[in-house]
Amino acid sequence: MLKFTQEHEWLKIEGDVATVGITSHAAEQLGDLVFVELPDVGATFSKDGDAATVESVKAASDVYCPLDGEVVEVNQAIVDDPSLVNSDPQGAGWFFKLKLSNVSDVDALLDEAAYKELIA
């Protein structure tokens, strides 16, 4: 199940763990990424906390934590090769996996139709 935020993050929910990344729309808006900084495994965040940083040829931008939780895995591949985020933002370009503090919070996020309406 995919969910989205108004800040252009996507979440793939599997049980109480969400894989988090930025949407294709966000990757296009940022342009070619040259740097990605990810949170540490074990870091805990509140919803909308600054979890990661991306830098492109255009600008630097924060990636927000979409829900309360603890980082249980990060994608080192995008640190080594930030262009993965541009080439496959909603696949191999994922950022981190978050063990959700409260799975029911997912219900407040946008579904794909609502997100498409937001960016239209």
Side-chain angles (χ1 to χ4, degrees):
M1 170 176 60
L2 282 182
K3 290 290 198 168
F4 299 86
T5 70
Q6 293 193 6
E7 291 76 31
H8 310 289
E9 288 96 21
W10 60 265
L11 296 84
K12 181 179 178 188
I13 311 299
E14 297 171 286
D16 64 349
V17 175
T19 302
V20 179
I22 64 171
T23 64
S24 299
H25 176 77
E28 288 167 18
Q29 295 298 308
L30 285 167
D32 293 335
L33 294 186
V34 294
F35 176 78
V36 176
E37 182 179 78
L38 296 174
D40 293 328
V41 171
T44 56
F45 291 96
S46 296
K47 181 181 186 315
D48 298 330
D50 295 347
T53 303
V54 293
E55 288 181 22
S56 71
V57 292
K58 294 181 183 176
S61 185
D62 290 322
V63 176
Y64 301 104
C65 194
L67 296 171
D68 296 349
E70 177 184 349
V71 175
V72 293
E73 187 178 342
V74 296
N75 186 359
Q76 184 62 38
I78 66 169
V79 173
D80 299 338
D81 182 6
S83 71
L84 275 174
V85 177
N86 295 107
S87 62
D88 193 9
Q90 291 178 226
W94 63 275
F95 279 60
F96 56 89
K97 294 189 179 185
L98 187 71
K99 184 170 177 30
L100 302 173
S101 298
N102 188 350
V103 176
S104 65
D105 290 346
V106 168
D107 297 339
L109 299 174
L110 303 173
D111 63 17
E112 194 161 0
Y115 181 73
K116 284 182 175 175
E117 206 171 284
L118 174 75
I119 61 174

